[in-house]
Amino acid sequence: MLNLVLFGPPGAGKGTQSEKLIRRYDLVHLSTGDLLRSQIAAGTELGLRAKQLMDQGLLVPDEVVIGMIDCKLRENQQAAGFIFDGFPRTVPQSEALDSLLVEYNTQITTMVALVVEDEELIRRLLKRGETSGRPDDQDEVTARRRVSVYNRETIPVADYYNQQGKYIAIGGIGEIDMIFETICQQIEAVATKKA
Ligand code: AMP
């Protein structure tokens, strides 16, 4: 199985690159942000509670997102692999993901981290807000809070995978297709080494 964690701050291009990666490698895309937004759209209790945190740019509790991922892994047992987008965002989420994957006799192949400097992220989030309709993309205070939550709570996840020798950093500024090809080269180098 090819199990990728696509990592990076909000606005780094994870969603865009995920779309291309799932097509090239036939992976199931698991974006906790998308899963939470569909709960909000469906008006569920979980969605209502998550929305209050999401709209402020804060993380929802670990057990909520871990539960959603657990459910999706169960539903997609025949998958060729997964791409985790926006998950894990904390070290406890990373530990929970590792344990869940053990249940399916698999593991994370590699983490690909998209690196983009903070001010460029703020510009991208506000630009995306012009069309995304996402409340958390609309104003600079929320955009900055999301970036600082990432720097404070999520960066340790990179160290977690680095310690496992599974961390690859890729510059996230430039042509989308060029970044995509760089990601693919790196993934294939890892897959060849493991084969
Ligand atoms: P995203 O679409 O990945 O930018 O996520 C949007 C928002 O959903 C985040 O700002 C968080 O409020 C929430 N969220 C998404 N994924 C997670 C996660 N793995 N852990 C905690 N909160 C999350």
Side-chain angles (χ1 to χ4, degrees):
M1 272 180 113
L2 177 62
N3 296 313
L4 304 174
V5 174
L6 190 56
F7 188 74
K14 299 188 295 298
T16 307
Q17 295 297 338
S18 290
E19 288 305 322
K20 297 171 78 67
L21 287 163
I22 56 175
R23 282 201 296 273
R24 180 158 306 182
Y25 297 110
D26 192 23
L27 303 175
V28 172
H29 184 201
L30 295 183
S31 155
T32 40
D34 287 351
L35 293 171
L36 288 164
R37 281 184 288 277
S38 45
Q39 293 284 327
I40 294 173
T44 65
E45 178 68 32
L46 186 155
L48 286 176
R49 272 186 285 126
K51 182 173 166 49
Q52 293 175 1
L53 294 162
M54 291 167 74
D55 286 359
Q56 296 177 71
L58 301 171
L59 297 185
V60 306
D62 287 339
E63 57 275 18
V64 172
V65 285
I66 293 166
M68 291 192 317
I69 291 289
D70 187 6
C71 194
K72 288 288 162 189
L73 290 175
R74 241 169 263 285
E75 279 171 22
N76 290 282
Q77 294 193 32
Q78 305 310 319
F82 294 93
I83 177 156
F84 298 94
D85 164 7
F87 178 91
R89 258 175 158 102
T90 63
V91 170
Q93 290 180 24
S94 315
E95 291 165 348
L97 178 60
D98 277 357
S99 311
L100 283 172
L101 292 176
V102 166
E103 284 180 37
Y104 297 100
N105 267 327
T106 188
Q107 58 174 306
I108 292 300
T109 310
T110 193
M111 161 187 271
V112 174
L114 294 173
V115 181
V116 176
E117 52 112 2
D118 288 1
E119 290 309 311
E120 172 65 12
L121 297 170
I122 305 295
R123 272 194 293 277
R124 288 186 186 183
L125 290 173
L126 295 176
K127 178 97 190 112
R128 185 172 77 185
E130 293 169 11
T131 52
S132 72
R134 283 177 52 170
D136 56 349
D137 284 344
Q138 297 304 316
D139 66 276
E140 190 171 336
V141 171
T142 310
R144 287 196 183 279
R145 190 178 298 124
R146 290 168 65 198
V147 172
S148 65
V149 165
Y150 171 83
N151 288 329
R152 196 175 56 236
E153 298 183 47
T154 304
I155 285 278
V157 172
D159 297 333
Y160 179 88
Y161 287 101
N162 199 15
Q163 277 164 21
Q164 295 185 12
K166 293 181 175 176
Y167 173 82
I168 297 170
I170 289 177
I173 294 185
E175 284 286 317
I176 289 170
D177 286 338
M178 292 272 287
I179 298 168
F180 176 62
E181 291 307 330
T182 309
I183 295 173
C184 294
Q185 280 164 15
Q186 296 285 346
I187 291 171
E188 281 156 34
V190 172
T192 312
K193 224 188 288 170
K194 289 205 167 152

